[in-house]
Amino acid sequence: MASCITNGIDITGVRASLYPMRTDFANQILTSVVATDTTAVWQQTDLFSTVYRGVAANVVDAAAGLFVNAYDTSTHLVGEFTFSKGCPGDIAGDSYLTGQQLRPNATVIQEKGSFPVHCKYSFYTFGRDDYMAEIAQIVALAKAAGLQPKSAHYCTFLTGTAAQLFAYFDQILNYAHAPMSHYVVEATVSVNSPSLEEQ
Amino acid sequence: MASCITNGIDITGVRASLYPMRTDFANQILTSVVATDTTAVWQQTDLFSTVYRGVAANVVDAAAGLFVNAYDTSTHLVGEFTFSKGCPGDIAGDSYLTGQQLRPNATVIQEKGSFPVHCKYSFYTFGRDDYMAEIAQIVALAKAAGLQPKSAHYCTFLTGTAAQLFAYFDQILNYAHAPMSHYVVEATVSVNSPSLEEQ
């Protein structure tokens, strides 16, 4: 199995998919992909997603940039994000690693990321018996971050602003990075859902 | 932690979300939810998803029914499915378990499910060191099912018909059910993507 270590730095990655629920969805996705500053990450777009890989902080920055750039005030938009570190099948060659904590999208995330989001997410870690205790710790960090975690079937719900949510992802990737050899965060982020009006 | 065992039968569940990329998305989702026969499962719809729970075969049947009922020949539709068994946080009360293998949507899946789909998916199992070997076995079953598995960053790609794909999900849930105390399948299914025309 391929190693995920390149030059002594662990690769983190995200697979990000955008689902704008409107007929002109393709243009909205493409505009967002182009608007996002990806100078700090390796990137590749396939049929499903855009993949960013590199240092964890840089990867979360690119994912957050992609989502806030895709946002508008009227479209029901869903983003699906798979953050991962330590996948033994990861390809060490496909990466861009300076070892620096770069966040070239930080300004746009701060300026545009104050809109409310809802999120469902799950934290998975592998090859260890204490994985449920680690999930509890990850959820405790969400509570401390003011994201109001709520248990649901097969996931936890969060609510806050986009900027808050991605800052939390940055925090939990940082929390998991050193002690966990392999983890995955599966997160789905929703804005402007018409179902909110019924609640 | 709550047990997932009710009357000696393990609960399997799926969290299914539909993303029709068109302005009239809400109607397409609602029509599909109503058209799906859910007499064999417990069900609940929330902000993100419809959750079906019960016996594995019945749960896959409901998920497949939901997806083929949402399909039309022109809309770019994505379905996100989280299949799971054994989550220690699962609520034993929210379930409908007869212990019978019921597939009330089988006819509609067979009649309407011959359209081509693309899928990205990951198989996760917890609390055991051999999880990578189990992933390899799950992918081998996809190859045997004719779904042409292809490795990608953080997932595996599959292609086939909708009916084939959900039959495969039924097969792997059956494979994992007895030996694995806790597993998750995260699958995203796409139809009518305009990106296919560029390939």
Side-chain angles (χ1 to χ4, degrees), chain A residues 134-145:
Chain A
E134 289 295 353
I135 293 170
Q137 186 55 35
I138 292 289
V139 172
L141 290 171
K143 192 171 181 187

Side-chain angles (χ1 to χ4, degrees), chain A residues 15-147:
Chain A
R15 172 171 280 282
S17 306
L18 296 175
Y19 310 121
M21 253 70 79
R22 58 184 284 192
T23 307
D24 188 26
F25 64 93
N27 189 48
Q28 190 159 350
I29 296 170
L30 189 62
T31 302
S32 169
V33 169
V34 171
T36 302
D37 188 327
T38 58
T39 50
V41 290
W42 175 92
Q43 80 163 4
Q44 186 178 63
T45 298
D46 58 38
L47 180 66
F48 286 93
S49 324
T50 293
V51 176
Y52 299 129
R53 299 170 69 246
V55 172
N58 310 1
V59 163
V60 176
D61 170 82
L66 183 73
F67 194 71
V68 302
N69 285 324
Y71 172 80
D72 67 40
T73 55
S74 59
T75 306
H76 176 28
L77 168 71
V78 170
E80 189 194 345
F81 299 91
T82 302
F83 295 97
S84 180
K85 192 216 74 171
C87 172
D90 218 339
I91 302 157
D94 295 348
S95 63
Y96 176 73
L97 289 176
T98 63
Q100 292 180 276
Q101 304 256 328
L102 304 172
R103 295 182 176 87
N105 296 283
T107 304
V108 72
I109 295 162
Q110 214 52 47
E111 284 177 1
K112 293 174 68 177
S114 61
F115 56 87
V117 299
H118 288 76
C119 174
K120 71 175 175 75
Y121 81 121
S122 298
F123 179 84
Y124 303 127
T125 185
F126 307 101
R128 51 196 296 159
D129 292 334
D130 65 346
Y131 69 100
M132 288 302 298
E134 289 295 353
I135 293 170
Q137 186 55 35
I138 292 289
V139 172
L141 290 171
K143 192 171 181 187
L147 290 165

Side-chain angles (χ1 to χ4, degrees), chain A residues 18-25 28 74-79 189-194, chain B residues 18-26 29 76-78:
Chain A
L18 296 175
Y19 310 121
M21 253 70 79
R22 58 184 284 192
T23 307
D24 188 26
F25 64 93
Q28 190 159 350
S74 59
T75 306
H76 176 28
L77 168 71
V78 170
V189 188
S190 171
V191 296
N192 300 325
S193 169
Chain B
L18 296 175
Y19 310 122
M21 252 71 76
R22 58 184 284 193
T23 307
D24 188 26
F25 65 93
I29 296 169
H76 176 30
L77 169 70
V78 169

Side-chain angles (χ1 to χ4, degrees), chain B residues 102-117:
Chain B
L102 304 170
R103 294 181 176 88
N105 297 284
T107 304
V108 72
I109 295 162
Q110 213 52 49
E111 284 178 359
K112 293 175 69 176
S114 61
F115 57 86
V117 299

